[in-house]
Every structure is written in structure tokens, then in C-alpha cells.
Amino acid sequence: AVDPARSRAIDRIVTFALLAYALVNVAVAALALVDFSQYAATVFEVMGIPGEFTNLGGGQTWGAAAAVALIIGYLITAWFSVRRTMAGKIAWWVPLVGAVVTHVVVGALAIVPLMSDPAFAAYLTSIS
């Protein structure tokens, strides 16, 4: 039989380790999204897209929105994780689900200025 106290202790350790790891990632990613022109330049380089990102206004607006969504997603995930932990419920899965849901939203926000950029659109047209 599994000792419930030991199981809860392991769950807390895993949950808070995931939250700590996520906090570092959120801080780094939010800073990158706020400087969206540099973020887009990195995307272009990694994808091998010729040209440069020129949708600076859209990038700034949507990048800031994505950064805010990332932070809010983390805060909701952390809040829900702590609540479940304090209630004695299994919580290790909450940071994982929170990360997936948050990154879908952040990805949707970050793709808007990229899709509106002429160089990015031309690249997508050229590969199809």
C-alpha cells in the first residue's frame, strides 16, 4: 500500500518544482515577447525565412498581449495548483495542463503579427 502522506509530499514537490520551472520560463518568454521584433527575427532565422520582420506596430501590440496572457496563464495555474495542494488533492497535473492551455493562447496571439508580415506570408506561400 502507498502511504498517503508520502504520496502527498511527492505530489507537492513535483507540483512546486514544475511551477518554479514554469516561472523561469514565463519570465524569459514574456521578456522575449515584449521585444517582439527580436523575437520575430529569431523565428525568421530558425525557420530560414529570407527578409526581415517589418510589422513592428503589430508585433509590439500582439507581443505585449501574448506576454500578458502568458503571465496571467501562469498566475491562474499557480493559484489553482496551490488551492488543490492545500485541499490535499493531487495537483502535479495542473502545471502541465496550465502550460498547454496557456501556450495555445500565447501561440495564437503571437502568430497574428507574423501572419500579417509580408516576408512571413511570402515564405508560407513559397512552401505550399
Side-chain angles (χ1 to χ4, degrees):
V2 176
D3 178 19
R6 178 178 159 92
S7 178
R8 280 193 295 273
I10 292 170
D11 178 67
R12 279 192 301 273
I13 291 167
V14 170
T15 300
F16 289 109
L18 289 170
L19 289 173
Y21 178 74
L23 181 60
V24 172
N25 284 304
V26 165
V28 170
L31 289 173
L33 288 165
V34 168
D35 184 8
F36 198 85
S37 60
Q38 182 58 45
Y39 174 81
T42 302
V43 170
F44 276 40
E45 182 180 332
V46 168
M47 293 181 68
I49 299 173
E52 69 180 55
F53 181 75
T54 58
N55 186 11
L56 302 177
Q60 185 176 12
T61 301
W62 288 97
V68 168
L70 185 61
I71 293 165
I72 289 171
Y74 176 80
L75 292 173
I76 291 169
T77 300
W79 176 81
F80 193 56
S81 297
V82 169
R83 296 259 323 195
R84 286 191 62 84
T85 300
M86 290 174 54
K89 297 178 180 177
I90 299 296
W92 65 266
W93 59 271
V94 176
L96 299 176
V97 172
V100 170
V101 171
T102 299
H103 281 84
V104 166
V105 172
V106 169
L109 293 170
I111 197 72
V112 172
L114 290 172
M115 295 295 287
S116 303
D117 185 77
F120 192 84
Y123 174 77
L124 291 179
T125 303
S126 72
I127 62 171
S128 57

